[in-house]
Amino acid sequence: MKKLCVAVVLFAVGIVFVAVWFSPLVWIGEPTAYYDNMPVASLDGLCYRADELVRVDFSGGEEEMYAALSHIGASQTARAETDGMIIVYAFSPRVCAAPQSLANGAKYNVMACLRDGHISVGTPVLSGCY
């Protein structure tokens, strides 16, 4: 009976670990699911669908944005600056979203944006106002 209880506990811990591993954005802000650019649910739980548009918003500067990307294992594949906004396209093997392609062929599954001290990080693309 003890072995069964230990097995069940280890299984539950494994499920939680896997879900958190594939939901890395839960560690850097308040993750929210969006549908047609409208917030529909808080993803404060464990895992979200791989095709779900998920975004976290927080305050900071360029250093905090890159620290958040680093925290989820994302490597920058492209960067654009326009009208005081910095947009970073990155790829993270920890994000369960399918990679998208830029015009130059670079793959990304995470986008980050910095404007006026407001940072948004989303997967696979940013949705909503940022």
Side-chain angles (χ1 to χ4, degrees):
M1 189 64 172
K2 282 185 182 180
K3 289 181 182 179
L4 179 61
C5 288
V6 169
V8 168
V9 168
L10 288 176
F11 180 73
V13 168
I15 293 291
V16 169
F17 175 78
V18 168
V20 169
W21 179 260
F22 288 109
S23 301
L25 296 180
V26 301
W27 297 103
I28 60 173
E30 292 296 322
T32 304
Y34 288 81
Y35 182 75
D36 286 339
N37 294 325
M38 296 297 293
V40 293
S42 173
L43 297 175
D44 59 356
L46 299 175
C47 198
Y48 49 85
R49 292 190 339 247
D51 63 344
E52 193 86 50
L53 293 174
V54 179
R55 186 179 89 205
V56 294
D57 299 324
F58 54 100
S59 298
E62 197 167 346
E63 185 176 322
E64 287 81 9
M65 179 178 68
Y66 281 108
L69 290 172
S70 176
H71 187 75
I72 62 173
S75 300
Q76 178 178 313
T77 59
R79 175 185 164 121
E81 292 187 44
T82 180
D83 296 327
M85 179 171 49
I86 299 172
I87 301 170
V88 174
Y89 300 87
F91 179 81
S92 173
R94 291 189 56 205
V95 173
C96 56
Q100 309 290 312
S101 293
L102 294 171
N104 66 4
K107 301 282 187 194
Y108 71 96
N109 61 358
V110 177
M111 283 180 69
C113 177
L114 169 62
R115 173 182 273 189
D116 298 328
H118 179 79
I119 302 167
S120 294
V121 178
T123 178
V125 297
L126 281 174
S127 179
C129 298
Y130 54 91

